[in-house]
Every structure is written in structure tokens, then in C-alpha cells.
Amino acid sequence: MATATSVDVVPSFSGGQWQRGEAVRCGEVFNPSTGKLIARVPLATAAETAAVVAAAKAAFVDWSETPAVERARVMFQYRHLMAAHFEELASLVTREHGKTLAEARAEVQRGLEMVEFACSVPTMLMGDTLPNIAGGVDAETNRHPVGVCVGITPYNFPCMVPLWMFPVAIACGNTFVLKPSEKVPLSAVRLGELLQEAGLPAGVFNVVHGDKECVDALLTHPEVAAISFVGSTAIAKYIYEVGAKHGKRVQAAGGAKNHLIIMPDADLDQSVKALAASAYGCAGQRCMAGSVAVAVGKIADPLVDELCQYAGSLKVGPTDGNEAVDMGPVIRAEHRDRVAGYLDIAKQEGATVPLDGRRDFAGGGFLLGPSVVDRVEPRMRLAQEEIFGPVLSVVRANSLDAAIEVGRNCPYGNGASIFTRDGYAAREFKHRFNAGMIGVNVGVPAPMAWFPFTGWNQSFFGDLHIQGTESVSFYTRQKMTLTRWFKSAADSFQDPVWKTAKR
Ligand code: NAD
């Protein structure tokens, strides 16, 4: 067993072999809780990347012909192994990402549910039939795998986001090349080891590490059929454009700016807790994190007061080996400084900062406390740009219509939630808000495995989304067959009774 957690260089996985070659270029993996270097990750060249695609291509012939029921059996075994290694996986996520152990457990659980979803692939691959669609002609559709599929993933969910992709792709009969974030490659390696242990044949799942050179080689490789991407909007757009230009089907999920609307009738206490969990969970590094609270009417003053009090009481600290923490570090020192820089931008633009998370933390972790920025206007950078850290901006609006307008003026469209006791306001919001995932009194309306992750606007490029049956459509192509059999002179069949019987 390759033990990526205890070694210096993170292995790649190609054609069933774990490889630790001599890389010309390497990236660095840190433990964000301590700031210490924990591994080096090789950054593959275009030629090395092509070799991994070739391994996936070679495995496709046999795997695509393996009965769907047998492919699903590997997923059942994988599910069993993931459950057996649940705590180990969660600890690994905490170690390389920095989120709390509770958050890491939730992430592994969400990923595991994708494997459970993939176990039902034989049912989802069933086609449609219509006998006698024309006289003596039968029609049917069947689903076929597309070939070599690629997954390119971000740092913020080292375990869950890869699991959004490869279990369904593989269960559908494709082979897969995963290019995890070079900031958090360790969880991906462990997921691959467990997949190998589950009995997946060599070459069906592969891991290549790298940055732009590797990604570009995947995007343009003629043997790659489909690309799933999750990451920032600028790169998602690039992946979509270059991948499509090279004839691949692409689903590319991008960044976000999610709105939480608090109506005057909302339960203040519950709303404050939900807002804080949404904005500061995973230190704000979630594509579904609430980052703009839109306070409607008179609730604004008490909301900001209670939010600052509650957020200010959250225990911030290193998470690795420490469960008594509410919020952990962000991924890198530069990212912490970038996020903190928005507090200065806020003041320059005329907003106020009633809770400033900048303080001296002991140890070398990349820590930043929760911040609240008040009196943000929709045109300000704090309302327009993805910050991706523990900063919650508050926009004050005088009506639900004005709150909905705030969303319409934002370029993203992942998630949005309303907090209210009024069914009519909730219905209006649900129908009219300009985002693809909606919550009613729910802070993070992230869909579970069985539903698609339906980002809109600049939060998604493509057609078929990740998760749910849309993912089965993405990883398969349909074949439609019309069949007619002619009766020959030699056939001894009589005309059916129903044709000759008198009625
Ligand atoms: P990122 O865009 O920097 O990196 C994502 C992947 O793209 C990585 O594997 C990286 O190696 C690769 N990459 C980076 N720069 C590249 C380039 N110039 N050319 C080719 N490939 C490149 O994203 P990140 O910082 O790792 O992750 C955070 C982002 O991901 C946030 O914007 C967050 O909102 C987004 N995200 C979105 C969703 C969603 O479902 N919409 C889910 C999780 C994260």
C-alpha cells in the first residue's frame, strides 16, 4: 500500500501502479493548522499526463464491457471500505485542508453518499422502449459510456468533490483520470488506494498531479471524451471553452456569491446561528457559503448586533488533532492575507467593519477570525466578488423585491436562502431569486447526491450538472435503435389471434 500520508513525494496512479518518479517541478502541501510542509506533489508534464490518459484508454475496452451489475458490485465494496476508513479519511481532510474534524466528517459522509448513488447505476442505465412505434417497428434507447473521463478538482473539498465525479463515471463504464488540487492531493491518493482494494481493475481509475501544464494536456488530448471541473469561475470558463473547442463534453462548476435574505419576521436567534454556520463553516471556503446577508427592514440592527456577538464568540484555532474548535484556518497564508485585504477594501468603499477577524494567533497556522462587514452596497466589491473566506457582508434592503434585486445584480448564481415565517414571501423568493439552489430557513442549501448541483450564471458552464441523474446523462451517451423483422415465407407463425378474432 502506498502511504502518501507519511512520505515526502505524493504518488501518482497510472495503469494500476503507484509511481513516485523524479519530477522536474513540484508543488508544496501544507498543514494549514501548523503552517508546516507535509508533502511535495509532482507537477506532471504534458508527456507524463498523456501516458496516464493512455493507461485509462487501454482499460476502457474491458471495463466498458463489464456488466453494469459487476461494476456496481465494486462500488458496493468501495462503499464498505470507505465506511471502514471513515475516520481516517476525515482526519486526512482536516490535516491537508484545515477544516474542523466535524466538517471533514460531513464532507466524507457527502462523498460516501455519492458512492451509494453510484451503486444504483444498473437501474439508472436502463433505457426506454416503445414496442410497435410504427407498424411492426420497435424503438429503444440504450446508454453507453463515453470513454476516458477527466476530473479536475478544487482544494476546498479534497474528498467530496472527487467523489462527485469518479464513482458515477466509473459505474457507468467509463475510465477516469483525476487531477486533484495540487494543494490537497493526499485525500485523492487515499481514495484511489481504497478503490484499488475494492477490486477495481488496473487503469480504470488514475490520478495525475499537476497544474496548468497538466490540465492543458488533459483538455486538448484527443482520447479524453468528457471533463468535469470544479473550481473558480475564471478557470471554469477557461476549461469549458478550451474543452468544448477540442470536442469534449464539459461540466464546469465555478465560484459563487451566495445570498441569505433575512425577513423582518424571521426568528432572530435561529437565523443568526444559521448565518454564522453558513458564512464561517469551513472558514468560509465553500462554494455554498453564505457571503452576503440581506437584512430586510427593521431586523438589520439587531441582526448585525447579534451576529457580531455570536461570531465573535466562535473558537478559532488549529484543527488537526483538536476537536474543541469552531473554525479552522484557511488554506494558505497568501489566501488569508487576500481575504483580510477585503476588510480594508470595505472601509475604502464606505462600508463599516463591526467585527474584524484580524488578530494575532499563536502558532504558525493560517488563521483568521470571523468578520462582519455592514452597510455594504450591491455595487461594492464586497457584494460582487467571491472572497472565499470568513467574511460576511451585510446589505440592508427595504423590501423583499429590493433583496431579490441584489441577487439579480450579482454575476454568480449558486445558492440563496430566505429566513422567514411567511409562506408567501418564501414562495416569491423561491420562484424569483436568480440562483440555482434555494433554501428556505436552511443556511446551506447544498443538494445531496440524488439531486443535481444546479449552479446558474457564472457559477456553472455547461449543460448537465454534477450529481443526480444529470450526472448519469453526462457520463453516458444514448443510442437509439429502431427494429423491424420481416415475416419470411418460411416462417410458420400464424397471424396473431387478436388480428383475426371477431369482436
Ligand atoms: P482553482 O480554480 O484555483 O483550481 C481548481 C483546479 O483548477 C485545480 O485542480 C487547479 O490545479 C486547476 N487550475 C488552477 N489554475 C489553473 C489554470 N490557470 N489553468 C488550468 N488549470 C488550473 O480553485 P480553488 O482555489 O482550488 O478552489 C476554490 C474555488 O472553487 C472557489 O472559487 C469555489 O467557489 C469553487 N468551488 C465551486 C464549487 C461549485 O460546485 N460551484 C464547489 C467547490 C468549489
Side-chain angles (χ1 to χ4, degrees):
M1 185 179 84
T3 48
T5 53
S6 57
V7 295
D8 202 21
V9 177
V10 184
S12 306
F13 189 45
S14 177
Q17 301 294 319
W18 291 100
Q19 300 167 346
R20 284 194 180 88
E22 283 297 310
V24 178
R25 291 189 306 128
C26 272
E28 293 177 320
V29 184
F30 292 94
N31 180 337
S33 287
T34 61
K36 291 207 171 104
L37 184 73
I38 52 173
R40 282 177 213 283
V41 61
L43 303 175
T45 62
E48 288 163 344
T49 306
V52 181
V53 174
K57 178 68 185 171
F60 179 71
V61 180
D62 284 348
W63 183 245
S64 59
E65 288 299 324
T66 302
V69 174
E70 285 180 32
R71 297 196 305 251
R73 253 175 225 140
V74 176
M75 286 300 142
F76 275 107
Q77 181 59 12
Y78 190 45
R79 193 240 168 257
H80 169 74
L81 285 169
M82 274 191 68
H85 292 270
F86 191 92
E87 286 299 319
E88 177 203 338
L89 287 167
S91 301
L92 195 49
V93 167
T94 292
R95 183 160 181 250
E96 67 176 339
H97 177 279
K99 61 182 73 176
T100 67
L101 203 52
E103 290 163 347
R105 287 187 184 118
E107 158 166 4
V108 176
Q109 178 59 30
R110 281 288 161 97
L112 196 142
E113 285 156 8
M114 280 305 295
V115 181
E116 291 173 345
F117 176 70
C119 288
S120 63
V121 112
T123 307
M124 294 188 287
L125 288 179
M126 284 179 184
D128 296 321
T129 63
L130 183 53
N132 217 33
I133 193 167
V137 176
D138 301 331
E140 66 177 84
T141 54
N142 293 300
R143 288 195 176 274
H144 293 247
V146 295
V148 177
C149 298
V150 163
I152 302 163
T153 54
Y155 79 79
N156 67 322
F157 282 98
C159 184
M160 181 187 79
V161 171
L163 286 162
W164 276 359
M165 302 172 181
F166 69 78
V168 177
I170 288 172
C172 285
N174 303 285
T175 54
F176 201 90
V177 177
L178 174 64
K179 205 303 284 174
S181 165
E182 63 275 37
K183 294 184 180 120
V184 292
L186 304 179
S187 301
V189 166
R190 193 68 191 113
L191 289 174
E193 290 171 347
L194 294 177
L195 205 42
Q196 190 179 27
E197 203 179 324
L200 193 74
V204 175
F205 177 75
N206 309 273
V207 183
V208 62
H209 303 288
D211 55 8
K212 183 167 168 53
E213 180 175 351
C214 171
V215 170
D216 283 346
L218 293 168
L219 284 180
T220 54
H221 197 294
E223 295 295 356
V224 169
I227 296 174
S228 300
F229 173 87
V230 176
S232 58
T233 286
I235 310 298
K237 197 159 180 280
Y238 172 76
I239 300 280
Y240 178 70
E241 288 170 356
V242 178
K245 192 172 159 202
H246 286 82
K248 289 133 195 17
R249 50 175 71 185
V250 184
Q251 49 179 198
K257 190 89 193 161
N258 305 307
H259 298 84
L260 305 167
I261 314 300
I262 304 90
M263 297 298 286
D265 67 342
D267 181 309
L268 190 61
D269 191 43
Q270 283 174 7
S271 303
V272 163
K273 286 187 180 127
L275 255 59
S278 179
Y280 307 122
C282 299
Q285 299 166 107
R286 284 188 290 191
C287 68
M288 290 296 281
S291 53
V292 181
V294 186
V296 177
K298 60 180 171 36
I299 201 161
D301 284 337
L303 183 82
V304 170
D305 285 350
E306 293 220 5
L307 199 54
C308 290
Q309 214 173 345
Y310 185 79
S313 72
L314 293 176
K315 190 153 189 274
V316 182
T319 51
D320 193 17
N322 180 14
E323 290 209 49
V325 162
D326 298 315
M327 196 181 95
V330 297
I331 191 74
R332 288 281 186 279
E334 312 84 74
H335 186 58
R336 176 194 56 203
D337 297 344
R338 180 189 158 276
V339 172
Y342 273 95
L343 301 170
D344 295 329
I345 294 170
K347 289 178 193 161
Q348 285 155 16
E349 289 192 316
T352 62
V353 183
L355 182 67
D356 190 324
R358 290 175 286 195
R359 56 190 122 116
D360 286 333
F361 290 95
F366 310 136
L367 292 161
L368 177 68
S371 297
V372 175
V373 181
D374 193 11
R375 299 187 184 278
V376 171
E377 296 292 334
R379 63 176 165 75
M380 292 179 180
R381 287 181 63 188
L382 268 89
Q384 291 286 325
E385 297 174 12
E386 182 179 45
I387 299 173
F388 219 56
V391 175
L392 180 59
S393 302
V394 180
V395 172
R396 293 168 179 241
N398 55 16
S399 66
L400 177 59
D401 283 345
I404 290 173
E405 198 56 27
V406 174
R408 217 185 298 286
N409 290 325
C410 176
Y412 298 100
N414 241 19
S417 285
I418 190 168
F419 292 84
T420 184
R421 298 175 213 236
D422 181 341
Y424 182 79
R427 187 182 181 281
E428 281 291 289
F429 169 80
K430 183 177 138 191
H431 190 62
R432 288 170 48 201
F433 201 88
N434 185 25
M437 290 171 274
I438 296 294
V440 176
N441 298 319
V442 171
V444 184
M448 289 170 71
W450 295 266
F451 285 85
F453 209 90
T454 48
W456 281 12
N457 310 329
Q458 299 285 303
S459 293
F460 183 75
F461 302 88
D463 175 14
L464 296 166
H465 292 87
I466 288 163
Q467 292 198 164
T469 51
E470 280 195 42
S471 67
V472 176
S473 298
F474 182 76
Y475 290 124
T476 54
R477 51 185 172 173
Q478 294 202 79
K479 186 176 276 184
M480 194 271 156
T481 308
L482 284 178
T483 306
R484 168 188 279 157
W485 295 105
F486 293 100
K487 187 176 178 185
S488 74
D491 283 339
S492 58
F493 299 115
Q494 301 295 316
D495 273 341
V497 174
W498 61 266
K499 271 196 170 175
T500 51
K502 289 208 168 69
R503 299 191 178 206

